[in-house]
Amino acid sequence: MKLALFSAHGYDRRFFEEENVRFGHELVFFEAGLETRTAPLAAGFDGVCVFVNDRLDAPTIAALASGGVRFIALRCAGFNNVDLKAAAAAQMRIARVPAYSPHAVAEHALALILTLNRKTHRAYNRVREGNFSLDGLAGFDLYGRTVGVVGTGLIGAVFAGLMLGVGCKALAYDLKPDAELERRGVEYVALDELYRRADIISLHCPLTPATQHLIDARALGLMRDGVMLINTGRGALIDTRAVVEALKAGRVGALGLDVYEQEEGLFFSDHSGEVLLDDLIARLLTFPNVLITGHQAFFTEDALRAIANVTLSNAREFESGALLSHEVRA
Ligand code: NAD
């Protein structure tokens, strides 16, 4: 099928072209993100292939449909950026990549925890400047600490396993508890209890109307003093303004973000020569106990290959009229 890939970077091109040898789709790569203004680029294509910050709202979907697009291939797991009702009304089918490497994201969450705790980011810079002082670098043993996992789907389950592996006690909250995790020693509790008891809280639930600003001033108020908060889920799970206040008050001890509420238009490209206009992220960047990565938790070669493979396979299923294994419905 003829597929227009939006928000395409060099690494997308590399892995999609390599995997496409087995599928034979016609792929055209666009650097631009998909939105209403760029939707006409897809006129004449059977499908569009999009990533997390492409905006598939109702006007964009209408513009795509009028250009003949019938298929949306999400090369990611989350689909909060798609107006599912508008897509259904336009008779457009959608498929996603439900699991490309839960290990990649879970391991990145662990990397954020280890870095924030042992301050290796600061130690790296110090030592390179000939400063071997240990002042301010003290961390704590993860062993014996309590970690709270919010959302124990594919990624949260792997993450909980990693934390059990370093000797943490694991609490979890999910709408559907995982019996296998319970058997391995994870204790499911109510969300407020998790907030009250955990030393480290890591978010692995999807962004939905129910989870928007899940971590707000109320939730932060319940947490232990000095709590470490990790978000590799979606930016808007956290009310960033509330967390800035909690950081200023010393209530949050460390914050690790791979995703940010207003990351659209900022993440995935180089803005180093520009004035940073987002005051909220600018403020976050001033805290020594905040570590931000630019939505790179998924970014391993294994995951990129799996993403390309499943996306192209989804397109083949759509083209052949087969049932879509990874369909997203309204
Ligand atoms: P998944 O669907 O396997 O698991 C999500 C879990 O969250 C499910 O167990 C579900 O029951 C639970 N859940 C749903 N609503 C909830 C709520 N209100 N409270 C608590 N739990 C709730 O998804 P996954 O593959 O584990 O991915 C989780 C999220 O991670 C995705 O939705 C996506 O937003 C994010 N993600 C981020 C990256 C990254 O690079 N940073 C990469 C992939 C996925």
Side-chain angles (χ1 to χ4, degrees):
M1 72 152 46
K2 204 173 162 196
L3 205 54
L5 283 91
F6 284 85
S7 304
H9 294 266
Y11 47 82
D12 296 307
R13 181 185 285 268
R14 176 186 153 201
F15 287 99
F16 270 85
E17 283 181 342
E18 283 178 17
E19 291 300 303
N20 195 37
V21 170
R22 291 204 286 282
F23 293 91
H25 296 298
E26 186 184 338
L27 306 180
V28 177
F29 298 88
F30 294 104
E31 277 180 34
L34 179 57
E35 51 164 311
T36 316
R37 286 183 308 155
T38 56
L41 290 170
F45 284 81
D46 306 304
V48 289
C49 176
V50 295
F51 197 51
V52 291
N53 290 329
D54 290 302
R55 199 179 322 131
L56 288 99
D57 51 14
T60 304
I61 286 171
L64 290 174
S66 71
V69 171
R70 295 168 298 126
F71 180 56
I72 298 169
L74 292 160
R75 53 178 194 278
C76 53
F79 46 86
N80 52 285
N81 53 333
V82 185
D83 186 330
L84 298 180
K85 287 201 178 106
Q91 295 186 324
M92 220 176 266
R93 306 274 297 279
I94 308 168
R96 67 180 183 128
V97 185
Y100 32 91
S101 176
H103 297 279
V105 182
E107 288 170 16
H108 191 75
L110 177 59
L112 292 176
I113 291 170
L114 290 170
T115 307
L116 280 165
N117 179 28
R118 304 306 298 270
K119 303 166 181 70
T120 39
H121 55 312
R122 301 183 67 197
Y124 174 83
N125 287 328
R126 270 191 200 185
V127 169
R128 283 173 74 91
E129 289 184 3
N131 176 357
F132 297 91
S133 156
L134 299 183
D135 284 339
L137 299 186
F140 55 84
D141 286 9
L142 285 178
Y143 181 85
R145 290 301 206 281
T146 300
V147 63
V149 187
V150 181
T152 53
L154 292 165
I155 296 169
V158 174
F159 175 76
L162 293 176
M163 299 315 290
L164 290 174
V166 294
C168 282
K169 171 162 184 47
L171 305 177
Y173 172 75
D174 195 301
L175 307 176
K176 295 178 232 152
D178 177 334
E180 170 60 16
L181 282 183
E182 282 185 298
R183 196 190 57 73
R184 291 169 63 192
V186 174
E187 182 189 352
Y188 280 89
V189 294
L191 194 52
D192 283 359
E193 185 179 343
L194 183 150
Y195 292 152
R196 285 195 183 95
R197 286 175 57 194
D199 300 299
I200 301 168
I201 296 174
S202 193
L203 306 178
H204 300 287
C205 57
L207 177 63
T208 64
T211 60
Q212 168 104 16
H213 286 187
L214 188 73
I215 306 299
D216 57 8
R218 189 200 75 90
L220 289 160
L222 295 176
M223 292 177 197
R224 298 181 74 126
D225 264 348
V227 66
M228 181 188 288
L229 196 55
I230 304 293
N231 188 9
T232 58
R234 283 288 180 269
L237 294 175
I238 295 184
D239 177 348
T240 315
R241 283 183 197 286
V243 91
V244 164
E245 291 309 314
L247 281 159
K248 281 161 72 178
R251 295 259 307 108
V252 166
L255 176 69
L257 299 180
D258 185 54
V259 286
Y260 169 60
E261 264 193 283
Q262 302 175 75
E263 69 179 54
E264 199 186 319
L266 189 62
F267 281 16
F268 304 117
S269 45
D270 181 1
H271 300 280
S272 57
E274 300 165 16
V275 172
L276 184 53
L277 295 176
D278 183 330
D279 291 350
L280 210 46
I281 198 165
R283 183 66 178 100
L284 281 175
L285 291 170
T286 66
F287 294 101
N289 50 350
V290 172
L291 178 58
I292 302 178
T293 53
H295 210 136
Q296 71 171 77
F298 74 100
F299 201 61
T300 64
E301 294 205 350
D302 312 76
L304 289 168
R305 194 168 297 289
I307 288 170
N309 191 282
V310 175
T311 306
L312 295 169
S313 166
N314 288 342
R316 176 179 278 173
E317 284 182 353
F318 174 78
E319 194 176 30
S320 65
L323 276 180
L324 290 180
S325 310
H326 307 303
E327 179 148 25
V328 179
R329 290 193 180 84

